[in-house]
Amino acid sequence: MTLSWVQIVRLGLVQLCIGAVVVLTTSTLNRLMVVELALPAMLSGALVALHSFVQITRPSWGFLSDAQGNRTRFIIGGMAVLSAGAALASWLVALGIAGHGVGLVLSVLAYLLIGMGAGASGTSLLALLASGCAPGRRAAAATITWLMMIFGIAVTSGVIGALLDPYSPSRLMAIVAVVTVGAVVLTSLAIWGIERRVIPARMPDETPLRQGLAEVWAEKRTRVFTLFIFLSMTAFFLQELILEPYAGLVFAYSPGASTSLSGAQHGGMFVGMLAVGIAVSGLKIGSLRAWVVGGCLGSAFMLAVIVALGQLQIGLLMPAVAVLGVFSGMFAIASIGAMMQLAGQGRAGREGTRMGVWGASQAIAQGLGGFAGTALVDALRLAGSTANAFGIVFALEALLFLAAGLMAWRIIDGGRLRAPAPNLVPGE
């Protein structure tokens, strides 16, 4: 038995919850630490990078969910840990102690919890999708679930942006309580009973963790796609932690307005993902390679536009960021479609492990990109104007997108990866 469309949508609600909680830390709390608490952007970047680097454990979570044959416990438990970490981080910001002494130590703990929770819940969810979906539904399932996640991020950013002005610590904590508690409750209701109805019960896999990871890494298609994810996601996340400070410092946006900027970007991503999903799955327009490359090139162009707006002090940042989101969504959903297809290829029973490897690559890229962006901005601001500092980093991101587009053009052919490996593990 395979997942029905209703069950796929229910799993998409879990993705929506993950996005809603994570955007609190990468968007709202980042802005408040840099602008309202006047902490170095590098500190905020380091904390967000920590939550990303912790997700190098994703292959382990994926393998454990493969081996134990119970992904539901990892999905619900991971969401609970993620929400607890986000609530702790928000409380420390509300108290104004997130960057000092004991508050900094507790902030590190909070972001460790955020990373572990997101890794456990997200990897297990994707593995359940990949193993439970019929092959013909995997690309569409990826589109549905990611659209719901982006919708959750966009709506959360927009609503928080509207409710947070005028800013006060008590207002922040009330919003965070609703988001985090609601995420745990909705996740539990959405996932309950799906796995046991769809995935046949199986005996626990006694394969050691190291051996299981080695089996997956021996697959050449897994290694090549991992490199592509790392390059493209580094480009994707380089601006994540500096876009809102850019809006506040260069364009004088308020906390609510800059949070709404993130909502506009993710709203654009939603449109881009939806357009590609309809074009590829429904209308059969364009190849996977064309959409990935087009998204990368369009993102590079819009980053150049955002740089020009800051140099010329033209107040069109909001629409430019929204269009950037459209192109980013195009690139992301096409890449995710390939990921879902590839996860089901190779040795059976290793979908979670493959998703974990690719998730770890993305997490490392997210941490590296986010921290590098903030560190470069801090260093460049010491040597020149604020607008120039941000502009140089955005230009570097545009170059990385161009490189990712070139790599996608060379390695992706239609809906599959070029040159299947000759050295795959037995059983492929």
Side-chain angles (χ1 to χ4, degrees):
M1 186 175 179
T2 58
L3 290 168
S4 68
W5 292 116
V6 172
Q7 291 169 329
I8 290 171
V9 171
R10 286 174 60 186
L11 294 180
L13 289 172
V14 180
Q15 281 281 65
L16 183 151
C17 292
I18 293 174
V21 176
V22 169
V23 77
L24 284 172
T25 61
T26 60
S27 176
T28 306
L29 297 187
N30 172 60
R31 150 74 201 225
L32 293 174
M33 283 191 281
V34 174
V35 181
E36 273 61 39
L37 300 187
L39 296 172
M42 189 182 300
L43 175 60
S44 173
L47 289 172
V48 175
L50 176 63
H51 113 277
S52 298
F53 288 137
V54 169
Q55 293 183 58
I56 197 173
T57 58
R58 275 180 176 262
S60 300
W61 294 119
F63 178 79
L64 288 173
S65 70
D66 284 338
Q68 296 184 18
N70 187 337
R71 307 192 198 278
T72 300
R73 72 173 70 170
F74 290 98
I75 294 171
I76 297 176
M79 181 62 71
V81 173
L82 167 61
S83 296
L88 175 59
S90 301
W91 179 60
L92 296 170
V93 170
L95 293 177
I97 62 173
H100 310 285
V102 175
L104 179 58
V105 174
L106 291 175
S107 293
V108 171
L109 173 62
Y111 279 83
L112 286 172
L113 293 175
I114 292 166
M116 292 177 63
S121 184
T123 302
S124 302
L125 175 68
L126 294 178
L128 179 57
L129 270 172
S131 58
C133 277
R137 289 185 174 182
R138 284 173 182 159
T143 301
I144 291 170
T145 53
W146 252 266
L147 283 175
M148 294 181 69
M149 182 182 72
I150 297 302
F151 178 77
I153 292 173
V155 170
T156 302
S157 298
V159 171
I160 290 177
L163 296 178
L164 198 56
D165 283 339
Y167 170 73
S168 70
S170 60
R171 188 184 295 263
L172 171 66
M173 289 311 301
I175 293 170
V176 169
V178 172
V179 172
T180 53
V181 173
V184 176
V185 172
L186 182 56
T187 293
S188 301
L189 294 175
I191 193 68
W192 198 258
I194 288 181
E195 185 175 14
R196 66 171 176 264
R197 294 192 189 112
V198 175
I199 310 297
R202 64 175 187 268
M203 296 297 292
D205 188 340
E206 301 297 333
T207 303
L209 172 61
R210 181 175 296 183
Q211 180 182 335
L213 293 176
E215 290 172 351
V216 168
W217 192 247
E219 302 168 357
K220 186 176 180 181
R221 61 167 68 94
T222 299
R223 298 196 303 271
V224 171
F225 200 70
T226 300
L227 292 175
F228 167 72
I229 289 173
F230 179 78
L231 177 61
S232 60
M233 289 296 110
T234 299
F236 185 83
F237 287 110
L238 196 62
Q239 51 77 36
E240 184 182 36
L241 300 182
I242 63 173
L243 187 58
E244 289 193 41
Y246 178 61
L249 295 171
V250 177
F251 293 87
Y253 275 36
S254 69
S258 61
T259 299
S260 296
L261 185 71
S262 177
Q265 182 181 18
H266 288 98
M269 289 183 65
F270 182 88
V271 172
M273 288 183 168
L274 182 61
V276 172
I278 293 173
V280 173
S281 300
L283 304 177
K284 310 299 181 184
I285 297 175
S287 66
L288 174 62
R289 178 171 66 175
W291 286 112
V292 173
V293 173
C296 288
L297 297 181
S299 297
F301 175 76
M302 290 311 303
L303 285 165
V305 171
I306 289 172
V307 172
L309 293 177
Q311 295 296 315
L312 300 174
Q313 286 295 293
I314 299 175
L316 296 175
L317 184 62
M318 187 76 74
V321 168
V323 177
L324 171 64
V326 172
F327 284 114
S328 298
M330 288 168 50
F331 139 75
I333 198 62
S335 300
I336 292 164
M339 183 188 300
M340 290 290 291
Q341 293 289 356
L342 290 169
Q345 298 176 18
R347 180 189 172 107
R350 289 290 181 262
E351 296 87 354
T353 310
R354 292 186 191 93
M355 283 296 186
V357 169
W358 295 328
S361 179
Q362 175 182 322
I364 294 171
Q366 181 176 3
L368 177 63
F371 179 73
T374 56
L376 285 171
V377 163
D378 281 345
L380 292 169
R381 286 178 67 190
L382 297 175
S385 75
T386 298
N388 288 341
F390 282 98
I392 291 172
V393 178
F394 290 138
L396 175 60
E397 182 182 6
L399 292 176
L400 289 177
F401 264 121
L402 292 175
L406 176 61
M407 184 175 184
W409 183 261
R410 297 186 63 180
I411 71 169
I412 297 176
D413 184 13
R416 301 175 63 86
L417 216 60
R418 287 184 186 272
N423 60 333
L424 300 177
V425 296
E428 294 192 81

